[in-house]
Amino acid sequence: MNQNHREAMADVRDMYMAHTMFRREFSLLPQLVRDVAPGDARRAEVVGAHAEMLCAILHLHHEGEDLMLWPRLKERGGAEAEAIVPTMERQHHAIEEAHAAVVALLPGWRRTGRGGDHLADAFEHLRAALIEHMALEEAEILPLAQRHITASEWMELGEHGMSEAPKKQLPLAFGLVMYEGDPDVIKAVLAHAPLPARLLMPLIAPRLYASHAKRVHGTATPPRIGAGAH
């Protein structure tokens, strides 16, 4: 039991929303890369910039868990945490290795539009590792977090990503998550934001994502891959 049991505990619904975004965008990436004609550097730059943004968001997301979630669960979660957190850490390591392979290939492809098959294969590998990890995290970790992590501690995970990400990218990043997001969860997340963000983000973020998706995916309404059960 968390020693701060009198405090409100984590509302983990935003994690499912983030996972839905990762499932959608990383599942679409391999074919996006393959669809770029060899040598089409202009199109490769559009897709490559999108891929770079997603990789950066994923890295910060997992870095926050490494720094703030796993240690607290290991401290408070007893045998349940001891049984699953090491697996989460190993999966993060595997994802980071797959991420590093992508990051190594991405700049050259963005510049020349050549080598797309190797990059697409690397994204397939990253996607598979990520999908496996998120399913296990939803099944095992999020129920633990609801019992052992306070609401304020949970908010630190999101604050870590926002503090490290480029500020001009935040509205688009929120639009990525809002696209398939539960309106009630979006409202709950924004409840803690400054008033201008609470008022403007629901208007600006979806429009930014629609414009971005049109440029990247060719449609303002890319396929909805779907979330895990929650």
Side-chain angles (χ1 to χ4, degrees):
M1 178 69 67
N2 188 283
Q3 66 267 31
N4 299 316
H5 61 276
R6 294 180 182 176
E7 297 185 37
M9 302 307 286
D11 179 354
V12 301
R13 295 177 298 166
D14 61 331
M15 185 71 80
Y16 292 105
M17 195 163 65
H19 283 185
T20 296
M21 182 275 286
F22 286 134
R23 283 187 178 95
R24 180 185 70 247
E25 299 296 342
F26 278 97
S27 293
L28 294 171
L29 263 177
Q31 193 59 47
L32 275 175
V33 172
R34 290 193 173 99
D35 285 344
V36 175
D40 187 349
R42 181 177 296 181
R43 176 61 182 164
E45 170 58 26
V46 170
V47 175
H50 171 69
E52 181 182 56
M53 177 182 65
L54 290 174
C55 286
I57 293 171
L58 177 64
H59 176 75
L60 288 173
H61 178 76
H62 282 174
E63 184 178 73
E65 291 178 341
D66 291 337
L67 293 173
M68 288 173 270
L69 184 56
W70 308 149
R72 285 166 173 158
L73 287 179
K74 285 193 286 189
E75 177 187 345
R76 304 167 187 171
E80 287 182 279
E82 290 176 11
I84 189 61
V85 171
T87 300
M88 294 289 103
E89 292 172 323
R90 286 193 297 271
Q91 288 183 339
H92 269 200
H93 182 67
I95 289 167
E96 192 58 33
E97 286 186 340
H99 177 273
V102 163
V103 169
L105 293 169
L106 189 55
W109 179 76
R110 283 179 68 175
R111 190 171 57 253
T112 66
R114 301 194 181 279
D117 285 343
H118 293 299
L119 179 60
D121 289 345
F123 271 122
E124 289 279 15
H125 183 59
L126 174 57
R127 184 202 68 83
L130 182 59
I131 294 294
E132 179 185 18
H133 171 71
M134 292 189 298
L136 188 59
E137 186 170 72
E138 289 168 2
E140 301 289 344
I141 290 294
L142 296 189
L144 278 175
Q146 287 178 304
R147 299 199 302 274
H148 299 291
I149 304 298
T150 67
S152 60
E153 290 168 342
W154 188 255
M155 284 176 59
E156 291 176 11
L157 290 173
E159 290 168 356
H160 172 79
M162 288 188 290
S163 66
E164 297 295 328
K167 295 297 180 286
K168 65 180 181 180
Q169 199 178 80
L170 291 177
L172 174 56
F174 202 74
L176 283 160
V177 176
M178 284 183 68
Y179 178 60
E180 294 181 79
D182 182 328
D184 289 338
V185 181
I186 293 168
K187 185 175 180 180
V189 171
L190 286 174
H192 305 286
L195 180 60
R198 293 203 304 272
L199 295 176
L200 294 176
M201 200 67 78
L203 300 174
I204 294 172
R207 294 174 186 172
L208 284 173
Y209 179 64
S211 175
H212 178 81
K214 180 72 173 176
R215 186 167 62 254
V216 172
H217 298 293
T219 173
T221 55
R224 296 170 184 255
I225 303 300
H230 48 97

